[in-house]
Amino acid sequence: MTAASLCALCLGTPHVPPHRLPGAVLDGDASLAGVVVTELRVPRLVLALIAGACLGAAGLVLQEALRNPLAVPEMLGVSSGAALGVAAPLVLALSLPAAVEPLLALCGAALGGGLTLLAAGLGRGPSAVLLTGAAVAAALQAALLVLMVMADQLDLQLIYRYLLGSLSARTWDDIAGLWPWPVVTVPALVLCAPVLSVMRLGDEEAEALGVRARRARLAALAVAVVLIAPVTAVCGPVAWVGFLAPHLARWFAPGSGAVRLLPWSAAWGAVVVAVADVPARLALAPVETPAGAWTALLGVPAGVALMRSGRRGRTAGREAVETAAVRALPRERRTTADGARRTGAEERARRYGSGVLGAGGAPARPVGTDGTENTR
């Protein structure tokens, strides 16, 4: 993150050496370099970090709630719905204040996510939600294509750049409209993380431990919508950040539960967007390319590689995930969970009589009343 921040602030036209950055940022340097750094590069970097953190946290929430490493906002209709809510007033020539755009994106994201859950039977199963979300996302993208056909040439260029996810020409006003939403969502994430650790065990196990899986899945989707929609309203749908950041967090902290992975996923999401914005601004200078194109170009192969490497240690990390899930529960539920773990051992002990373990930890063969070994 430090390296990406230095590159974002120093590189470009004009070039600003690192030793001049404190004076340009803190002292309000009135030169061209100072104005460019304080009014263009710093807000763009701050926006990249906030947007990446929101998308990374939302990606982990969706993946843990649906128990699927492929669950991303782009495949659940959330990002497409938010983009549709922002693009529709632009094509229909509706003059709305900029403060309303996050609300429009929030309504569109809620529409996409709600349609996904309704079509999947209100979160009946993770697989059904994911497959139905892909269909809903395709339908919303088709609606976006219809709007693009209706738009004129100027609006078409704006919509096309917006749909790819761009941080170009963003100022402090955009950050002022974005930062309250993540702040409001932080308490919900704190309450949601222990429940996500329990849901990772499966719907039946979560129900046995007192977690209502359907309601928890709806709440997780609501939290993800509030995280994704404002970012989409300001930056557009920056693709595959919610897919790559959770896998990076799991790769660096294998076997961890959602409580520990959530801040790491947010941090890696910020790193991904900040790193992708550097080539987006400099690769084809003076022409800027959308940051979402670079996140998709680099994120998909990197995410697939991380999934393949993480699959090897998935079996060894299962016990660690279960332990983290039980520790996240209150004390009374934790006792119930420990009792559920002992159920299998008690059943084997009942079947084998006394339940005394033999050599190597295997249950001892039952002994009859006459002291002879019971061959049956």
Side-chain angles (χ1 to χ4, degrees), residues 23 29 32 71-72 99 177 230 285:
D29 192 354
L32 177 61
V72 291

Side-chain angles (χ1 to χ4, degrees), residues 1-363:
M1 187 181 295
T2 302
S5 301
L6 287 176
C7 292
L9 297 178
C10 296
L11 301 180
T13 304
H15 174 73
V16 180
H19 66 273
R20 290 187 54 189
L21 285 178
V25 175
L26 300 177
D27 299 339
D29 192 354
S31 62
L32 177 61
V35 173
V36 169
V37 170
T38 55
E39 298 299 329
L40 295 178
R41 295 181 184 175
V42 172
R44 183 166 179 164
L45 175 62
V46 173
L47 182 61
L49 296 177
I50 295 177
C54 292
L55 294 175
L60 181 71
V61 169
L62 292 176
Q63 291 181 13
E64 293 293 322
L66 299 179
R67 303 198 311 275
N68 195 318
L70 298 178
V72 291
E74 290 79 14
M75 294 185 64
L76 295 175
V78 177
S79 295
S80 300
L84 181 62
V86 176
L90 180 62
V91 175
L92 300 177
L94 299 178
S95 58
L96 298 175
V100 182
E101 289 185 358
L103 297 178
L104 293 176
L106 189 65
C107 294
L111 175 64
L115 288 176
T116 299
L117 290 181
L118 286 176
L122 291 176
R124 179 171 46 191
S127 300
V129 173
L130 189 60
L131 294 176
T132 309
V136 172
L140 295 176
Q141 290 174 2
L144 281 172
L145 291 177
V146 173
L147 289 177
M148 293 176 68
V149 171
M150 297 171 54
D152 56 18
Q153 189 65 28
L154 180 59
D155 291 339
L156 183 61
Q157 293 179 0
L158 294 176
I159 294 175
Y160 182 73
R161 179 173 290 272
Y162 168 77
L163 291 179
L164 290 179
S166 177
L167 302 176
S168 178
R170 299 300 186 264
T171 61
W172 291 109
D173 294 335
D174 298 309
I175 298 175
L178 176 62
W179 71 264
W181 297 93
V183 172
V184 171
T185 316
V186 167
L189 286 174
V190 173
L191 296 176
C192 184
V195 180
L196 292 176
S197 297
V198 178
M199 291 187 64
R200 187 65 179 172
L201 303 176
D203 288 356
E204 295 181 357
E205 289 80 359
E207 293 282 352
L209 297 177
V211 176
R212 298 181 179 181
R214 291 188 180 182
R215 293 186 180 182
R217 195 170 291 120
L218 285 172
L221 182 62
V223 172
V225 164
V226 177
L227 286 172
I228 296 167
V231 174
T232 307
V234 176
C235 308
V238 184
W240 298 104
V241 178
F243 170 72
L244 181 59
H247 288 290
L248 285 171
R250 294 189 186 98
W251 193 65
F252 282 94
S256 300
V259 176
R260 184 180 177 187
L261 289 177
L262 189 59
W264 282 108
S265 182
W268 278 112
V271 171
V272 169
V273 178
V275 170
D277 191 47
V278 174
R281 187 168 57 89
L282 302 176
L284 301 178
V287 178
E288 289 192 8
T289 54
W294 290 94
T295 56
L297 182 64
L298 302 176
V300 174
V304 171
L306 289 172
M307 286 180 61
R308 294 191 62 180
S309 62
R311 189 177 303 171
R312 303 171 184 173
R314 191 170 299 168
T315 303
R318 173 73 177 179
E319 184 178 353
V321 172
E322 292 179 354
T323 303
V326 173
R327 289 179 179 177
L329 293 172
R331 184 176 299 276
E332 59 273 9
R333 292 188 179 182
R334 192 182 308 172
T335 304
T336 305
D338 292 337
R341 285 186 174 185
R342 291 193 299 267
T343 303
E346 293 173 355
E347 179 65 19
R348 288 191 298 269
R350 185 186 64 81
R351 291 181 180 180
Y352 286 105
S354 62
V356 179
L357 298 181

